[in-house]
């Protein structure tokens, strides 16, 4: 009776292991696409808040609907982060092209990240600037834009974005820490300060802004006053 040798048994196990690894990776890649439609009605956590809670770090977050976030902040964030938010389909090809042209090589590419891409990163991916993350982020952003409304995308972003230096996430926690008031009561200048701090709220302190942050906030106030239509898709509920 023929019995397989030990070597042949090992060779059979290797493809089985590879197949299992492949299926696990495929499931991880597909999971965000399955979860995204649910987030039209379910308030999602971000990967960073999950990680901070698991590791025992501080998280302060109060989820609020967009109707309870100042229109000043909604517009300021669009002005600061994604001026073509209402017209693109999740990724801004013009911004990406400009970012590539301004970089010496692909490893130096910066910018070009839309609000929708940041939502994809915050909900499903990890921080950093690797090309692998960007490659996963772009199709996810297109999918998010397809299945969620612009209003819902901005609502999610304003509730999961890091907005304070001590574990404050979302507009409500960020506004209360920086200004001692609710997100719905922010003035145009306070909203602009929060928007200007978004790239790195740990070093850009909206509560005690330096000259650079104040200048940037003033610039956003001016742009918002001259371009209120940048948030038209959010106000229309599209």
């Amino acid at each position: 009776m023929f019995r397989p040798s030990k070597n042949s048994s090992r060779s059979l196990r290797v493809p089985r292991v590879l197949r299992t690894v492949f299926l696990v990776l495929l499931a991880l890649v597909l999971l965000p696409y399955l979860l995204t439609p649910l987030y039209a009605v379910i308030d999602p956590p971000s990967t960073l808040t999950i990680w901070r809670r698991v590791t025992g770090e501080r998280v302060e977050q109060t989820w609020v609907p967009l109707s309870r976030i100042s229109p000043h902040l909604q517009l300021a964030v669009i002005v600061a982060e994604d001026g073509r938010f209402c017209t693109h389909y999740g990724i801004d090809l013009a911004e990406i092209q400009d970012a590539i042209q301004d970089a010496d090589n692909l490893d130096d590419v910066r910018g070009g990240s839309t609000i929708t891409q940041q939502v994809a990163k915050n909900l499903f991916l990890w921080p950093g600037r690797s090309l692998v993350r960007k490659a996963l982020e772009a199709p996810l952003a297109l999918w998010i834009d397809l299945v969620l409304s612009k209003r819902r995308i901005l609502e999610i972003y304003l509730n999961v974005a890091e907005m304070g230096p001590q574990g404050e996430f979302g507009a409500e926690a960020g506004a209360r820490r920086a200004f001692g008031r609710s997100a719905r009561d922010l003035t145009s200048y306070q909203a602009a300060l929060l928007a200007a701090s978004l790239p790195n709220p740990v070093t850009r302190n909206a509560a005690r802004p330096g000259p650079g942050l104040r200048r940037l906030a003033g610039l956003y106030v001016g742009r918002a006053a001259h371009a209120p239509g940048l948030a038209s898709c959010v106000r229309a509920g599209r």
Side-chain angles (χ1 to χ4, degrees):
M1 182 176 179
F2 172 77
R3 293 182 181 178
S5 67
K6 291 182 180 180
N7 287 338
S8 63
S9 298
R10 287 197 196 99
S11 65
L12 287 173
R13 280 199 298 269
V14 170
R16 200 170 296 156
V17 170
L18 291 176
R19 188 166 60 249
T20 301
V21 170
F22 172 77
L23 290 175
V24 169
L25 291 175
L26 182 63
L28 290 174
V29 169
L30 293 180
L31 184 60
Y33 293 89
L34 299 175
L35 289 175
T36 297
L38 301 178
Y39 291 163
V41 293
I42 296 173
D43 297 335
S46 69
T47 52
L48 185 54
T49 55
I50 292 172
W51 176 253
R52 289 180 68 94
R53 286 190 169 106
V54 167
T55 57
E57 294 185 74
R58 181 176 184 270
V59 173
E60 183 178 344
Q61 183 182 37
T62 302
W63 193 286
V64 292
L66 202 62
S67 59
R68 286 174 52 193
I69 297 176
S70 168
H72 292 307
L73 183 57
Q74 297 174 35
L75 180 55
V77 165
I78 291 174
V79 166
E81 298 284 292
D82 188 0
R84 285 186 280 266
F85 175 69
C86 285
T87 57
H88 63 62
Y89 296 98
I91 59 176
D92 191 335
L93 295 178
E95 279 293 321
I96 292 173
Q97 184 177 8
D98 290 343
I100 292 173
Q101 289 175 348
D102 290 341
D104 293 330
N105 55 62
L106 287 178
D107 291 332
D108 294 330
V109 172
R110 299 289 184 269
S113 184
T114 65
I115 286 173
T116 314
Q117 285 176 268
Q118 293 180 62
V119 167
K121 178 199 73 176
N122 288 338
L123 296 187
F124 303 118
L125 302 172
W126 61 91
R129 299 183 183 274
S130 72
L131 291 177
V132 173
R133 199 210 75 195
K134 282 292 183 183
L136 294 171
E137 179 183 282
L140 257 177
L142 292 170
W143 176 245
I144 290 170
D145 190 86
L146 179 66
V147 301
L148 299 180
S149 69
K150 293 286 188 180
R151 183 177 178 85
R152 180 57 173 166
I153 291 169
L154 185 64
E155 183 175 74
I156 291 173
Y157 179 68
L158 287 175
N159 277 284
V160 302
E162 190 174 10
M163 290 197 182
Q166 297 177 330
E168 292 86 8
F169 289 84
E172 187 69 15
R176 290 194 179 280
R177 184 208 170 271
F179 311 113
R181 59 172 59 189
S182 171
R184 66 182 168 188
D185 298 324
L186 294 174
T187 67
S188 59
Y189 184 65
Q190 289 170 338
L193 279 173
L194 264 187
S197 72
L198 272 173
N200 192 342
V202 175
T203 59
R204 295 186 179 190
N205 192 339
R208 292 187 292 276
L213 195 61
R214 289 198 298 268
R215 280 196 301 272
L216 196 55
L219 179 65
Y220 292 158
V221 169
R223 287 181 181 174
H226 287 93
L230 291 179
S232 59
C233 62
V234 175
R235 290 164 188 163
R238 292 205 296 273

